[in-house]
Amino acid sequence: MTQITRSSTDTVKGPADWFTGDVCIDAVAGAPVPSRGTASLVHFVPGARTHWHRHPLGQTVFVPEGAGLCRRHGGPAEAVRPGDRVLFEADEEHRHGAAPNRLMVHLAIDEGDDDHAVVHWLNPVTDEEHHAATPAAG
Ligand code: MN
């Protein structure tokens, strides 16, 4: 017999003080104690991106679909494609999002506990900065 595990968790729109452009967030896994791991599936419309931010315990994102880019503070923009996995180290300032002309979906795997917030949000990324940071196709 077919078994379907129903989701009862609403999709959340990414708030404007975290993201630029339209972003939808679905909770994939929570962190019941003693776990401190969480996972979220995040859809970025073309050009949408996070603000600069850092994760006190680091973050891994896996890209199942679309075309995106990520950037570490002080580093070059790097293209990410389906199948790519990116590790952002603890407290490393960075951002991630969709290429200007393409949707991007990523699964974000995060950690947090009573002593470590999952994320600290910093400044937004302007259109000019985002477009200038777009790497050549390839
Ligand atoms: Mn991040």
Side-chain angles (χ1 to χ4, degrees):
M1 182 174 177
T2 302
Q3 292 190 10
I4 301 175
T5 301
R6 302 291 183 186
S7 173
S8 60
T9 306
D10 291 346
T11 298
V12 174
K13 187 178 186 311
D17 50 354
W18 298 358
F19 299 97
T20 299
D22 286 339
V23 173
C24 288
I25 304 169
D26 286 293
V28 174
V33 174
S35 171
R36 61 180 187 180
T38 57
S40 303
L41 189 65
V42 187
H43 284 69
F44 296 80
V45 302
R49 65 273 183 179
T50 67
H51 292 186
W52 286 102
H53 62 284
R54 58 188 176 82
H55 304 280
L57 296 175
Q59 178 186 53
T60 292
V61 302
F62 176 81
V63 179
E65 184 177 353
L69 54 88
C70 62
R71 192 172 194 182
R72 294 174 173 79
H73 188 72
E78 298 186 73
V80 288
R81 299 284 184 183
D84 290 346
R85 184 178 74 179
V86 183
L87 171 67
F88 299 106
E89 293 180 359
D91 274 331
E92 178 177 63
E93 279 187 33
H94 69 280
R95 59 186 174 87
H96 32 105
N101 59 337
R102 294 286 302 280
L103 177 84
M104 192 273 279
V105 181
H106 73 39
L107 179 66
I109 300 165
D110 301 300
E111 291 186 86
D113 61 22
D114 288 346
D115 300 320
H116 303 87
V118 170
V119 57
H120 289 290
W121 293 103
L122 304 167
N123 293 327
V125 179
T126 64
D127 285 346
E128 189 174 50
E129 185 182 5
H130 188 65
H131 289 205
T134 303

